[in-house]
Amino acid sequence: PETPWLFVYRDPVQTMMSHFKNGVGNGPCLRQRRSPPPATIKILKAESAAKASRTSPENYCAAHLAMLTSSALDADGSSDRGLLVDYASMPGALEAYVFPKHFGLSLAPEDALRTHAASSVYSKARGGRKAGAWESDNEKKERAATPAIKSAAATYLQPTFERA
């Protein structure tokens, strides 16, 4: 494919905490737990899909996210169409380098300002109680992370984060 693409990656513990915002066991990273993909089984070093599905929610989530991140890293390594963007560079990354350097878009100063303003708004609020300016939740997520989440993130997801 010739379409330029980007992959936004984030600190492993913070990524897992985003998935577990409704509690451990309810994250979107667990949707395939009953029928894990072969790559997730391999990351878990499980002998079978059944054994992989019985691992802790924290370990399964971290392995699933590692599988997704590895896929993006592999795609980036085999193509010049991808761009890896660290979540820590947001907001500001779009107008600074994603649009001009990756997509080849020349932004007029007023367009760069509008882009920055739009990317500085919390995108998931949709007019609700969280509407307003984007604020980092990194420290809050780090404080709330359980030892099991930190261990799973370090074991399975951190190696992919370091590859990015």
Side-chain angles (χ1 to χ4, degrees), residues 138-154:
N138 297 351
E139 288 181 25
K140 178 182 173 188
K141 287 183 177 184
E142 290 289 337
R143 282 192 312 272
T146 65
I149 288 173
K150 291 177 181 178
S151 175

Side-chain angles (χ1 to χ4, degrees), residues 78-162:
S78 64
S79 165
D80 62 352
R81 305 306 268 161
L83 178 66
L84 306 175
V85 179
D86 188 342
Y87 182 86
S89 69
M90 309 287 251
L94 292 176
E95 70 275 13
Y97 63 91
V98 172
F99 287 159
K101 295 184 173 111
H102 187 60
F103 290 106
L105 299 173
S106 178
L107 297 179
E110 60 272 12
D111 294 331
L113 287 173
R114 276 197 302 272
T115 299
H116 186 79
S119 66
S120 298
V121 174
Y122 182 62
S123 65
K124 296 177 186 174
R126 297 189 180 114
R129 63 180 174 82
K130 293 183 180 179
W134 175 89
E135 293 178 10
S136 174
D137 59 357
N138 297 351
E139 288 181 25
K140 178 182 173 188
K141 287 183 177 184
E142 290 289 337
R143 282 192 312 272
T146 65
I149 288 173
K150 291 177 181 178
S151 175
T155 300
Y156 299 108
L157 193 49
Q158 185 67 35
T160 61
F161 180 78
E162 291 171 0

Side-chain angles (χ1 to χ4, degrees), residues 19 24 69 108 154:
H19 278 256
V24 173
T69 304

